[in-house]
Amino acid sequence: MVGKIAMTDNHFDSLDEFYNLYYERRPYPGPDYMDMDFYYKGKFYWYMEEGIMREDFPNLYHDGGDYAVRIAYELIPEDGKPMSKEKYDFTKCKCILLGKYRLMEDILNDWIIDGKPFKDVLIDKETHIYDIR
Protein backbone atom coordinates (compact mmCIF):
# COMPACT_ATOMS: atom_id res chain seq x y z
CA MET A 1 0.00 0.00 0.00
CA VAL A 2 1.35 3.42 -1.00
CA GLY A 3 -0.34 6.34 0.69
CA LYS A 4 -3.98 5.34 1.11
CA ILE A 5 -4.06 3.56 -2.25
CA ALA A 6 -3.83 -0.23 -2.18
CA MET A 7 -2.02 -0.92 -5.43
CA THR A 8 -1.91 -4.30 -7.12
CA ASP A 9 1.66 -5.58 -7.46
CA ASN A 10 3.00 -2.04 -7.00
CA HIS A 11 1.31 -0.47 -10.00
CA PHE A 12 -1.85 1.60 -10.19
CA ASP A 13 -5.00 -0.24 -11.17
CA SER A 14 -6.36 2.83 -12.95
CA LEU A 15 -5.28 6.31 -13.92
CA ASP A 16 -7.95 7.63 -11.53
CA GLU A 17 -6.09 5.90 -8.69
CA PHE A 18 -2.94 7.82 -9.65
CA TYR A 19 -4.83 11.12 -9.82
CA ASN A 20 -6.48 10.47 -6.44
CA LEU A 21 -3.13 9.88 -4.77
CA TYR A 22 -1.54 12.82 -6.58
CA TYR A 23 -4.19 15.31 -5.50
CA GLU A 24 -4.42 13.84 -1.99
CA ARG A 25 -0.66 14.34 -1.52
CA ARG A 26 -0.51 17.70 -3.22
CA PRO A 27 -3.55 19.87 -2.48
CA TYR A 28 -3.58 22.79 -4.90
CA PRO A 29 -1.80 25.16 -4.42
CA GLY A 30 0.11 23.29 -1.74
CA PRO A 31 3.86 23.08 -1.28
CA ASP A 32 4.09 19.26 -1.49
CA TYR A 33 5.23 17.76 -4.76
CA MET A 34 5.22 14.10 -5.68
CA ASP A 35 8.33 12.06 -6.48
CA MET A 36 8.08 8.45 -7.60
CA ASP A 37 10.70 5.76 -8.34
CA PHE A 38 9.61 2.86 -10.51
CA TYR A 39 10.89 -0.05 -12.59
CA TYR A 40 9.54 -0.90 -16.02
CA LYS A 41 10.78 -3.53 -18.47
CA GLY A 42 14.32 -3.74 -17.14
CA LYS A 43 14.91 -0.04 -16.45
CA PHE A 44 14.53 2.24 -13.46
CA TYR A 45 12.85 5.64 -13.70
CA TRP A 46 12.21 8.63 -11.50
CA TYR A 47 9.27 10.98 -11.89
CA MET A 48 9.67 14.18 -9.91
CA GLU A 49 8.23 17.62 -9.62
CA GLU A 50 10.21 20.73 -8.94
CA GLY A 51 8.73 24.02 -7.84
CA ILE A 52 9.52 27.07 -9.93
CA MET A 53 9.18 30.74 -9.16
CA ARG A 54 6.44 32.55 -11.04
CA GLU A 55 8.61 35.68 -11.34
CA ASP A 56 11.37 33.71 -13.04
CA PHE A 57 9.07 32.13 -15.65
CA PRO A 58 6.13 34.50 -16.26
CA ASN A 59 5.48 33.08 -19.74
CA LEU A 60 4.69 29.63 -18.27
CA TYR A 61 1.64 30.71 -16.31
CA HIS A 62 -0.70 31.83 -19.08
CA ASP A 63 -2.04 28.26 -19.37
CA GLY A 64 -3.47 28.04 -15.86
CA GLY A 65 -0.85 25.52 -14.77
CA ASP A 66 0.52 25.29 -11.27
CA TYR A 67 3.93 26.26 -9.97
CA ALA A 68 5.81 23.12 -10.89
CA VAL A 69 7.65 21.43 -13.68
CA ARG A 70 7.47 17.66 -14.05
CA ILE A 71 10.80 16.01 -14.75
CA ALA A 72 11.47 12.52 -16.12
CA TYR A 73 14.72 10.67 -15.45
CA GLU A 74 16.12 7.26 -16.18
CA LEU A 75 18.18 5.89 -13.27
CA ILE A 76 21.43 4.14 -14.19
CA PRO A 77 23.49 2.21 -11.59
CA GLU A 78 26.68 4.22 -10.97
CA ASP A 79 28.93 1.16 -11.25
CA GLY A 80 27.41 0.23 -14.63
CA LYS A 81 26.39 -3.21 -13.38
CA PRO A 82 22.79 -4.29 -13.85
CA MET A 83 20.63 -3.84 -10.77
CA SER A 84 17.72 -6.17 -10.24
CA LYS A 85 14.38 -4.75 -9.19
CA GLU A 86 14.76 -6.73 -5.96
CA LYS A 87 18.08 -4.98 -5.13
CA TYR A 88 17.14 -1.47 -6.26
CA ASP A 89 19.00 1.32 -4.42
CA PHE A 90 18.27 4.89 -5.53
CA THR A 91 21.40 6.18 -3.77
CA LYS A 92 23.60 4.12 -6.09
CA CYS A 93 22.16 5.51 -9.31
CA LYS A 94 22.90 8.49 -11.49
CA CYS A 95 20.08 10.36 -13.19
CA ILE A 96 19.81 10.77 -16.95
CA LEU A 97 17.39 13.57 -17.88
CA LEU A 98 14.73 12.36 -20.30
CA GLY A 99 12.51 15.44 -20.40
CA LYS A 100 10.80 18.30 -18.62
CA TYR A 101 7.07 18.84 -18.88
CA ARG A 102 4.98 21.80 -17.82
CA LEU A 103 1.57 20.22 -17.20
CA MET A 104 0.53 16.87 -15.75
CA GLU A 105 -1.31 16.02 -18.99
CA ASP A 106 1.90 16.65 -20.94
CA ILE A 107 4.03 14.19 -18.99
CA LEU A 108 1.24 11.59 -18.91
CA ASN A 109 0.82 11.71 -22.70
CA ASP A 110 4.22 12.78 -24.04
CA TRP A 111 6.76 10.89 -21.89
CA ILE A 112 7.15 7.68 -23.90
CA ILE A 113 8.69 4.69 -22.14
CA ASP A 114 9.36 1.61 -24.23
CA GLY A 115 6.79 2.76 -26.80
CA LYS A 116 4.04 3.56 -24.25
CA PRO A 117 2.93 6.90 -22.81
CA PHE A 118 3.63 7.32 -19.08
CA LYS A 119 -0.13 7.16 -18.32
CA ASP A 120 -0.20 3.59 -19.69
CA VAL A 121 3.01 2.60 -17.90
CA LEU A 122 1.48 3.65 -14.56
CA ILE A 123 -1.24 1.01 -14.91
CA ASP A 124 0.81 -1.66 -16.69
CA LYS A 125 1.12 -4.89 -14.71
CA GLU A 126 4.87 -4.94 -15.50
CA THR A 127 5.40 -1.67 -13.58
CA HIS A 128 6.88 -1.90 -10.09
CA ILE A 129 6.62 1.31 -8.03
CA TYR A 130 9.22 1.47 -5.25
CA ASP A 131 8.50 4.69 -3.49
CA ILE A 132 6.20 7.66 -3.65
CA ARG A 133 7.31 10.67 -1.66
Side-chain angles (χ1 to χ4, degrees), residues 71-132:
I71 306 173
Y73 293 101
E74 182 177 348
L75 301 171
I76 308 289
E78 286 182 346
D79 61 10
K81 296 178 183 174
M83 186 183 298
S84 71
K85 69 178 182 180
E86 292 79 17
K87 299 195 182 218
Y88 169 72
D89 184 351
F90 176 79
T91 64
K92 295 181 179 172
C93 293
K94 60 183 176 181
C95 299
I96 306 299
L97 178 66
L98 299 177
K100 292 185 178 186
Y101 304 86
R102 178 69 183 94
L103 300 174
M104 177 59 75
E105 291 75 25
D106 295 340
I107 196 165
L108 288 172
N109 293 306
D110 298 341
W111 181 15
I112 305 299
I113 302 171
D114 199 48
K116 284 186 160 184
F118 181 44
K119 67 180 181 183
D120 293 341
V121 171
L122 285 170
I123 60 175
D124 192 306
K125 292 183 185 338
E126 292 187 57
T127 299
H128 183 91
I129 297 173
Y130 286 95
D131 191 17
I132 296 178

Side-chain angles (χ1 to χ4, degrees), residues 13-68:
D13 292 322
S14 69
L15 200 52
D16 284 341
E17 203 174 44
F18 169 76
Y19 275 121
N20 289 340
L21 180 62
Y22 177 78
Y23 288 110
E24 172 189 293
R25 291 185 51 85
R26 193 188 167 288
Y28 186 79
D32 277 344
Y33 297 106
M34 181 188 282
D35 284 27
M36 178 172 53
D37 306 347
F38 63 98
Y39 175 89
Y40 184 69
K41 293 195 174 183
K43 294 184 178 180
F44 298 93
Y45 298 94
W46 179 25
Y47 161 85
M48 73 164 290
E49 293 180 353
E50 183 176 282
I52 55 178
M53 299 301 293
R54 185 181 188 119
E55 306 81 53
D56 295 338
F57 299 93
N59 59 323
L60 293 180
Y61 293 93
H62 68 280
D63 57 12
D66 55 17
Y67 303 103

